Amino acid sequence: MKRESGTEPVAVPWRSFRVLSFVPAVRWLFFIALSGALLLTDWLLLPVLGVELVWLLLALLLFNVLATVLAWQRPRLGGVKETGLLVDIVVLTLVAYFSGGAMNPVASLYLFPLLIAALTCSARFAWLSVGVAMVGYLLLFYWYRPLVSAAEHGDHGAAAPLFNLHLLGMWLTFSLSAVLITASVSWLMRLLADKDRQLQQAYQKQQEQQQFLLLGIESASVAHQLSTPLNNLFLLSEELAAEPALSDDGRQHLDTLHRQLLLCREVLWQLKRKEESATEPVLLFSQLQGYLDRWINLRPDVRYQWHNAPPGRDYRVWLDELFWSALLNILDNAADAGENRVELYTSVVDDSLLDIGIYNRQGHLSEEQLAQAGLNQQESEKAAGLGMGVWLAHATFSRLNGSLTLRNHSNGGVYARIRIPLLLADEPTE
């Protein structure tokens, strides 16, 4: 089959590949079973193969060939699998019509396409198939071409009511079996899909934990490596401070340098801490103000505006220490993307949920970035600010049963929303 130049073959997922190979194979098995049943009946019991049945089998053969080719050449073409199963049910009904109707045991093959529909198709289509098969089987009790003459039927005599009861029982048994198989298999498939989704989530969390472990090891190594040059810088700053010829401007710059070195040492000490969580409750907004002050000391070029900061009202909460690091990561990304301008919104909902909004008026996220934000580490683009920091923040908030969402603001820029459940240590303070 020719392809247009420059086009690549469509990649089929492994799960879809198994379904695509399974359904045509089973439909061919159904064709073989139906043809074999008719041939054996015609050879051993009664002459049932007429012109109509031969044409039906040939039509089903050609349709199977076409459906198989379409399934492999056009894997994303919808409806081929469902159409094939419905054709199997209709052809089986016509075969039974021309060979004795409901009295023909070949009608038990109805369960074959119904089982495949329940295993590989949606629940709606599976139940539709059950309905079509039940109606078709029921019609075969009243409209069919008998295998024997009407005169031969008269030999049944008084046994006719019992025979009719037998036929009705066959239909009821088939209907009950069809309903039970469809319900149980559909439930089983939903259960397997849920288990598969849970396994994927567990695998993703495991990958995040492994990356956290690697980052922790790297952080400890970096902290150890930076300790020596940082101590050397402290010594040099002290020696420069003792120089009598140092100008006033030089001393002012030296004081600034010394404060920055102190902040760097404090950060290194935090990296060396073994405690992962806070050991005592903190005042939420007071602690936030303290972290913001430290953040501004580290980034003096940044200007932030804290909207609706609660005046005189605070909450004493138990809050994991990792939360603050994740929050500062988002602030750093927003400042980088927003030309060092950040707007901060905070509120507490029902004394149990912390809602934080971080808005930078520059940058724009593509649809792909919005779909993948937080799920994978991405290449950092300063215009959007997505990278390792956002991934770490997303993983940390998820670990704390919170969430991080990103969206493009209607007035331009990017808006990040953080929602974290709060554990209050006591009543809010005034």
Side-chain angles (χ1 to χ4, degrees), residues 15-38:
R15 184 180 179 87
S16 300
F17 176 82
R18 289 185 297 174
V19 172
L20 287 173
S21 60
F22 173 74
V23 175
V26 173
R27 291 194 64 250
W28 278 109
L29 187 60
F30 170 82
F31 173 80
I32 294 173
L34 179 60
S35 303
L38 292 175

Side-chain angles (χ1 to χ4, degrees), residues 285-304:
F285 294 112
S286 298
Q287 190 84 343
L288 176 57
Q289 185 64 67
Y291 274 97
L292 290 174
D293 293 340
R294 286 176 45 198
W295 180 59
I296 292 300
N297 285 333
L298 287 173
R299 300 193 60 168
D301 55 334
V302 173
R303 297 292 180 269
Y304 76 91

